[in-house]
Amino acid sequence: VAIGPVTARNRFYQVPHCTGMGHLRPQAVAALREMKAAGGWAVVSTEEAEIHPSSDLSPYPEQRIWDQRDLPALRLITDAIHRHDALAAIELVHNGNNAPNLYSRLPPIAPVSMSLSSDYPKQARQMSIEDIQQLRRWHRDAAVRARDAGFDIVYVYAGHLMTLAQHFLLPTINQRQDCYGGSLENRVRLLRELIEDTKDAVGQHCGIAVRLAVDELAGSEGMQASEEGSAVVEMLADLPDLWDVNVADWSNDSATTRFVPEDGYQISYIEFVKSKTAKPVVATGRLNSPDLMVSLVKRGIVDFIGAARPSISDPFLPNKIKSGDISEIRECIGCNICVSSDSLGVPIRCTQNPTMGEEWRRNWHPETIDAARTAVDTLVVGAGPAGLECALQLAQRGHRVQLAYETAEAGGRVLAESRLRGLGAWLRVRDYRMQKLQQHSKVQLFPDNTLSANDIAELDCKAVFIATGAKWRRDGIGRSNRKGIQSPASPLIYTPDDILKDENLPDGNILVYDDEHGYLGGVLADHLSHQGHAVTLVTSASIVSPWTVYTLEQHRIQARLIDQGVAIYPNLVIDSSTDSSVLFKCVFSGQPTELECAATILVTERVSNDELFHELRSRPAVNHHIERIGDALAPGLIADAVFSGHLAARDYQATQHEIEDAWYKRELPALTPW
Ligand SMILES: Cc1cc2nc3c(=O)[nH]c(=O)nc-3n(C[C@H](O)[C@H](O)[C@H](O)COP(=O)(O)O)c2cc1C
């Protein structure tokens, strides 16, 4: 498919996505992008690339193209992508009031004087006409640098409520009185000029793409595809060489499976675009299903299959489709752990693909793993996310693997949690691994099997990996209360494990107490209130499920609970209970609050199920490898468990010295002023 002067070799298009690496970790980001190109993506894009120090997103390490000094790092990326015959795209951006400029300390800029989008109590200043001219020059200069760095496609970015080009478009933000404000013609002027400038500067060599959010999913309160969204596309129709269209804000665009169902949730908003332009169109929305992909192209809705998360979960998705290995696709589960790493400014990770972000520093590949030095008999106890991943990778390395688990069905916590409202797609973590394990000649599965230390000793395997998971505490001990509940009236107390095992709850008010701050407290409150229980959520945090801010879900969770009539009590720590009520104290003042309830579910901390591990380790004659992995080692996210299982399988048979040597490459700042 031609994109202006360049041609993509197929229809798979990795749209811009951050990596938590950006300008700080150039070699790591180049290796990550290279993996996508090797996996068959015809276009591989960078994350948003700041064009100027007044668009400084620190502390988040996005891409940066402030000046010539950024070019060597960018060249690493384009060379890596070109090695696999793919096109390299760069998403130029000025983030306006979304850029706090914490590093550069320049005053932020915006169409009008307004607050920063973060909580930092500072305002962006209104741009003058001279500022707009300067912005156009910065963008143009950045485009020339991008071309010089070897990029084939240069983006003008008007999306996610995060960019100046979009801020000028939106009447809710742009209340200017001059020729850049007022009518749509005026509000579109800056975007048009940026496209024209970019075409003029580099259009002979590079395809010029526009990323536009055509709908804000806010009804008449925001831009709508049926109104100004389509009008903008119509006005600019064939000016760019490619339209990359989506919805805003970022939480709507990168919606999780918990709230937005699978595959193609953006189609109804963007399907008009091809009728307005002769230029190719790319769109996204967790496009995992090859059938849907074909149908979208055949129905003339898109020319390219765009993907961020499906390409993170499986960088080799295009090649697998090409070779017909569709069951090999490691499908995205839509959990947004990838987003959480960007939100935290650390290298990207993925629940399904533990090699994501480890391409350079650990030299990991999602499809291959080093053969074992000596193939031996191994045993994995437990078939949750850590056990399954460990077993699979041990087998791929050539070891013989026995996988024993207590239950009839494999999956562990993934199986249990996937039964909760909205989390069904999480079962893919198990399904992807189980279907491979079931077919693997080196693997034997032993369901319904509870092994004692004696049983394990008799099996005489060279290596034993204990993946027995963890259980939730019943005593109230957690981050805010290290002493636990005073005088617990035990019939009242449940743990998430009880609920996941479908234990019957009494009639009456169910109190969910969340001192963990992850997703589970909010999910349980949602699940139970959806089932018809009267639910009260009490948390030691100031908002519901605070960690989910990082996965772009927090506001949806809190809104849904409020809509479902869940009473929410923030800032309370559990103190004591009777058989009909629980006493809490304010985390700040200690003031008491007593809440009546029929049952309390404690979401506080977990305790590793590591008795078997310790028993095996305590045997004097043991001389083989015994290792704990996943939640049995340290309870965490499912992504942590998968990673732990993967790491253990990779490291097995390496000496401690080798492990430490390979642990892991770092990118250090050069100690020269430049
Ligand atoms: C980790 C992550 C980082 C992202 N960063 C960017 C970005 O820098 N620029 C951008 O335009 N979109 C960004 N996005 C949005 C994606 O490009 C994409 O539009 C969105 O995730 C929906 O597509 P998907 O379902 O294929 O992930 C990001 C998405 C993810 C998951």
Side-chain angles (χ1 to χ4, degrees):
V1 183
I3 305 171
V6 298
T7 301
R9 68 187 152 112
N10 64 39
R11 294 178 188 272
F12 289 102
Y13 192 117
Q14 183 242 279
V15 291
H17 76 75
C18 321
T19 57
M21 296 168 174
H23 65 94
L24 285 184
R25 298 166 181 121
Q27 297 170 96
V29 84
L32 183 157
R33 302 296 181 201
E34 177 160 16
M35 200 61 84
K36 307 283 191 87
W41 299 88
V43 179
V44 178
S45 310
T46 63
E47 51 244 271
E48 54 183 341
E50 309 159 354
I51 59 170
H52 187 263
S54 61
S55 180
D56 158 29
L57 290 164
S58 306
Y60 306 107
E62 310 300 313
Q63 211 58 68
R64 204 163 255 186
I65 185 162
W66 288 2
D67 56 41
Q68 291 295 118
R69 290 171 292 187
D70 294 305
L71 263 51
L74 293 169
R75 182 50 89 171
L76 283 181
I77 299 174
T78 54
D79 284 349
I81 295 170
H82 290 155
R83 275 197 284 280
H84 302 273
D85 201 19
L87 298 175
I90 183 167
E91 187 182 49
L92 301 184
V93 67
H94 196 296
N95 296 92
N97 79 324
N98 199 53
N101 298 344
L102 294 172
Y103 175 73
S104 69
R105 303 193 72 174
L106 292 174
I109 51 176
V112 294
S113 170
M114 63 191 297
S115 309
L116 294 184
S117 61
S118 59
D119 282 338
Y120 187 40
K122 187 172 179 176
Q123 286 187 216
R125 67 177 175 82
Q126 172 161 346
M127 292 170 75
S128 64
I129 293 288
E130 292 72 37
D131 289 327
I132 293 174
Q133 280 161 0
Q134 225 172 25
L135 169 76
R136 290 178 58 187
R137 184 170 56 75
W138 295 338
H139 201 281
R140 190 190 168 94
D141 291 351
V144 171
R145 288 193 292 274
R147 179 203 60 200
D148 293 347
F151 285 99
D152 310 288
I153 297 170
V154 178
Y155 264 90
V156 179
Y157 175 23
H160 294 119
L161 293 189
M162 289 177 176
T163 77
L164 268 183
Q166 189 191 17
H167 296 160
F168 271 81
L169 277 180
L170 302 175
T172 40
I173 295 179
N174 180 356
Q175 280 144 17
R176 298 173 69 97
Q177 308 293 324
D178 60 9
C179 63
Y180 286 93
S183 66
L184 182 61
E185 187 77 36
N186 280 355
R187 284 181 279 120
V188 111
R189 189 179 309 281
L190 177 64
L191 178 58
R192 180 193 292 284
E193 287 172 347
L194 291 176
I195 302 169
E196 285 169 352
D197 293 345
T198 312
K199 279 197 93 162
D200 185 51
V202 300
Q204 275 199 318
H205 299 97
C206 306
I208 309 304
V210 170
R211 183 154 234 216
L212 176 73
V214 295
D215 203 302
E216 290 179 74
L217 270 54
S220 56
E221 302 282 301
M223 182 173 275
Q224 288 179 278
S226 54
E227 310 229 332
E228 287 200 340
S230 52
V232 173
V233 178
E234 195 167 324
M235 287 163 92
L236 302 173
D238 291 343
L239 193 57
D241 298 317
L242 172 119
W243 283 99
D244 175 347
V245 279
N246 62 357
V247 295
D249 56 8
W250 188 17
S251 68
N252 287 326
D253 181 30
S254 298
T256 57
T257 26
R258 185 170 164 194
F259 291 96
V260 179
E262 187 60 35
D263 271 349
Y265 55 86
Q266 304 201 19
I267 302 307
S268 60
Y269 299 99
I270 62 89
E271 62 191 351
F272 75 86
V273 176
K274 272 196 72 71
S275 68
K276 307 274 182 203
T277 175
K279 297 303 170 87
V281 173
V282 55
T284 58
R286 281 201 322 278
L287 298 175
N288 275 313
S289 146
D291 287 339
L292 179 65
M293 295 175 191
V294 172
S295 127
L296 289 175
V297 174
K298 286 207 164 148
R299 284 188 283 147
I301 293 172
V302 297
D303 301 279
F304 285 102
I305 301 302
R309 290 167 295 176
S311 78
I312 292 167
S313 181
D314 197 337
F316 280 71
L317 182 147
N319 283 358
K320 289 177 184 176
I321 292 178
K322 187 175 179 191
S323 61
D325 295 328
I326 289 175
S327 65
E328 291 285 309
I329 296 173
R330 205 183 302 99
E331 285 177 314
C332 170
I333 66 167
C335 66
N336 276 7
I337 291 303
C338 51
V339 174
S340 77
S341 27
D342 180 57
S343 311
L344 291 161
V346 296
I348 191 166
R349 61 215 57 201
C350 171
T351 300
Q352 275 284 57
N353 174 12
T355 69
M356 177 50 44
E358 304 296 341
E359 300 83 358
W360 179 80
R361 66 175 182 177
R362 285 191 161 97
N363 200 24
W364 284 4
H365 190 287
E367 303 302 316
T368 60
I369 188 162
D370 287 346
R373 285 182 188 162
T374 325
V376 297
D377 288 314
T378 65
L379 170 69
V380 179
V381 184
L388 289 171
E389 176 67 13
C390 184
L392 178 60
Q393 298 308 332
L394 288 169
Q396 313 269 50
R397 297 195 63 192
H399 296 297
R400 295 172 293 279
V401 182
Q402 302 184 52
L403 174 60
Y405 43 104
E406 282 187 335
T407 46
E409 231 186 310
R413 67 179 281 197
V414 168
L415 175 64
E417 291 181 22
S418 69
R419 296 190 184 117
L420 296 174
R421 186 173 187 208
L423 304 188
W426 290 18
L427 200 53
R428 289 175 177 171
V429 173
R430 178 199 71 174
D431 292 347
Y432 167 74
R433 290 167 178 81
M434 268 310 267
Q435 56 101 5
K436 287 172 90 75
L437 286 164
Q438 278 160 344
Q439 291 164 17
H440 209 293
S441 60
K442 304 252 176 217
V443 177
Q444 284 180 289
L445 302 176
F446 296 98
D448 287 318
N449 222 296
T450 307
L451 294 179
S452 67
N454 282 338
D455 299 333
I456 293 174
E458 274 170 31
L459 282 172
D460 197 27
C461 290
K462 276 270 175 293
V464 180
F465 296 87
I466 303 291
T468 40
K471 62 177 107 25
W472 287 91
R473 299 188 77 118
R474 206 174 279 278
D475 54 10
I477 289 181
R479 66 172 72 236
S480 315
N481 178 344
R482 301 310 306 170
K483 287 193 296 201
I485 311 175
Q486 305 303 301
S487 61
S490 50
L492 265 182
I493 305 289
Y494 291 76
T495 73
D497 297 318
D498 302 327
I499 309 305
L500 294 171
K501 278 186 211 132
D502 269 346
E503 213 162 285
N504 279 337
L505 285 167
D507 290 339
N509 186 27
I510 308 299
L511 198 151
V512 178
Y513 171 62
D514 180 16
D515 194 29
E516 193 221 11
H517 300 180
Y519 59 85
L520 195 63
V523 174
L524 286 173
D526 177 8
H527 184 79
L528 294 172
S529 70
H530 187 63
Q531 281 186 341
H533 290 280
V535 177
T536 299
L537 187 127
V538 183
T539 174
S540 51
S542 55
I543 50 174
V544 171
S545 306
W547 187 81
T548 61
V549 167
Y550 301 129
T551 55
L552 308 175
E553 293 172 296
Q554 197 283 329
H555 64 290
R556 286 183 198 254
I557 297 171
Q558 191 131 2
R560 186 187 267 179
L561 295 186
I562 293 168
D563 287 346
Q564 282 175 194
V566 173
I568 298 170
Y569 289 82
N571 303 324
L572 293 179
V573 57
I574 203 157
D575 181 74
S576 55
S577 68
T578 69
D579 56 4
S580 63
S581 70
V582 182
L583 186 72
F584 296 93
K585 288 194 169 159
C586 171
V587 290
F588 303 113
S589 67
Q591 266 188 27
T593 300
E594 187 169 357
L595 297 172
E596 300 277 319
C597 62
T600 304
I601 303 168
L602 297 177
V603 188
T604 57
E605 276 184 7
R606 281 175 286 165
V607 181
S608 294
N609 297 325
D610 53 7
E611 302 82 0
L612 184 61
F613 170 77
H614 288 299
E615 206 183 324
L616 284 169
R617 286 288 289 248
S618 67
R619 294 182 167 232
V622 167
N623 58 3
H624 45 242
H625 182 93
I626 300 169
E627 186 173 351
R628 270 177 303 178
I629 54 175
D631 289 344
L633 175 64
L637 292 168
I638 296 168
D640 296 321
V642 173
F643 182 82
S644 166
H646 190 94
L647 183 67
R650 291 237 182 207
D651 280 352
Y652 174 54
Q653 289 181 331
T655 62
Q656 192 55 31
H657 201 67
E658 286 167 330
I659 292 172
E660 277 166 24
D661 265 4
W663 165 256
Y664 36 63
K665 283 190 281 182
R666 288 195 294 150
E667 300 189 65
L668 300 171
L671 298 178
T672 44
W674 199 31

